[in-house]
């Protein structure tokens, strides 16, 4: 029992550190990112908030993402709407307006944390020592490429990786139906 508590504490501290790093970067570099993608994400989030997901692809504007991530953008738009109704015009921890690009970076940031946790969990499943599993998760979490992709550029690559890793984990457990579901969600 103490071993499990220590393991949970260790990965919790690692994930909290990774989150803190990403929030600091987002705060220090507000508005960063690929402007075309961020503008599209913002437009889609607001459009989904206003009109919902049904008929999204038939609304006469450019949309090249599959429905999976659009549901996430819909949620971001709804959260932004709640902030607006509460009179909160900006989210200081993320350095910008709720309708701006910075709140849109929260899902990829959280996906980065999920990937790190899955790396840790999968390493433990393979039988490696806890310390090695933590190092594996830390390599992902503190690799500049990962936070550059999600926090600075605002890209959502890690979101698909979460489902791919879940699929691999189910493959190890010989659950092909779940693998197919996760692979489909990853796409």
């Amino acid at each position: 029992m103490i071993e499990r508590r220590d393991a949970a504490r260790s990965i919790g501290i690692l994930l909290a550190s990774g989150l803190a790093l990403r929030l600091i970067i987002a705060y220090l570099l507000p508005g960063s990112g690929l402007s075309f993608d961020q503008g599209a994400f913002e437009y889609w989030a607001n459009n989904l908030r206003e009109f919902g997901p049904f008929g999204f692809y038939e609304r006469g504007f450019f949309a090249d993402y599959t429905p999976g991530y659009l549901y996430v953008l819909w949620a971001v738009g709804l959260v932004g709407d709640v902030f607006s109704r509460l009179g909160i015009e900006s989210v200081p921890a993320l350095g910008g307006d709720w309708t701006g690009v910075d709140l849109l970076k929260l899902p990829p940031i959280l996906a980065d944390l999920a990937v790190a946790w899955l790396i840790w969990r999968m390493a433990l499943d393979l039988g490696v020592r806890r310390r090695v599993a933590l190092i594996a998760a830390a390599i992902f979490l503190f690799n500049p490429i990962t936070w550059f992709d999600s926090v600075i550029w605002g890209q959502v690559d890690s979101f698909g990786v979460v489902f791919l890793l879940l699929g691999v984990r189910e493959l190890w457990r010989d659950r092909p139906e779940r693998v197919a579901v996760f692979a489909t969600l990853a796409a």
Side-chain angles (χ1 to χ4, degrees):
M1 185 64 140
I2 293 174
E3 230 177 85
R4 287 184 110 174
R5 193 172 339 131
D6 289 344
R9 183 179 302 128
S10 297
I11 191 65
I13 290 169
L14 182 70
L15 294 175
S17 300
L19 177 62
L21 171 69
R22 283 161 170 74
L23 291 178
I24 289 168
I25 293 169
Y27 181 77
L28 292 176
L29 299 171
S32 64
L34 300 174
S35 61
F36 179 80
D37 286 344
Q38 295 303 303
F41 293 160
E42 181 179 353
Y43 181 82
W44 296 339
N46 286 323
N47 185 277
L48 287 162
R49 173 191 49 81
E50 188 173 344
F51 301 110
F54 305 106
F56 177 80
Y57 294 104
E58 297 154 7
R59 294 188 187 140
F61 51 80
F62 174 77
D64 63 346
Y65 269 60
T66 56
Y69 196 69
L70 295 177
Y71 287 114
V72 174
L73 291 176
W74 185 24
V76 168
L78 292 173
V79 167
D81 191 43
V82 169
F83 285 164
S84 179
R85 291 175 192 269
L86 293 174
I88 302 170
E89 295 302 320
S90 66
V91 184
L94 293 174
D97 296 333
W98 70 266
T99 57
V101 298
D102 296 301
L103 185 59
L104 292 169
K105 291 179 182 179
L106 194 55
I109 287 171
L110 296 176
D112 280 352
L113 300 177
V115 169
W117 183 86
L118 281 166
I119 290 169
W120 173 76
R121 185 69 250 167
M122 291 171 74
L124 291 176
D125 290 348
L126 288 173
V128 302
R129 294 186 323 262
R130 280 195 345 243
R131 171 172 249 143
V132 174
L134 275 174
I135 290 170
I139 287 171
F140 172 82
L141 204 53
F142 296 105
N143 183 333
I145 293 169
T146 62
W147 46 262
F148 194 86
D149 187 51
S150 62
V151 181
I152 296 175
W153 277 2
Q155 298 301 295
V156 299
D157 302 323
S158 58
F159 211 84
V161 173
V162 169
F163 294 103
L164 285 176
L165 289 177
L166 287 169
V168 169
R169 195 164 182 231
E170 292 303 317
L171 191 61
W172 291 347
R173 296 175 174 166
D174 195 28
R175 297 176 181 156
E177 295 84 7
R178 290 182 185 182
V179 173
V181 169
F182 285 131
T184 302
L185 287 171

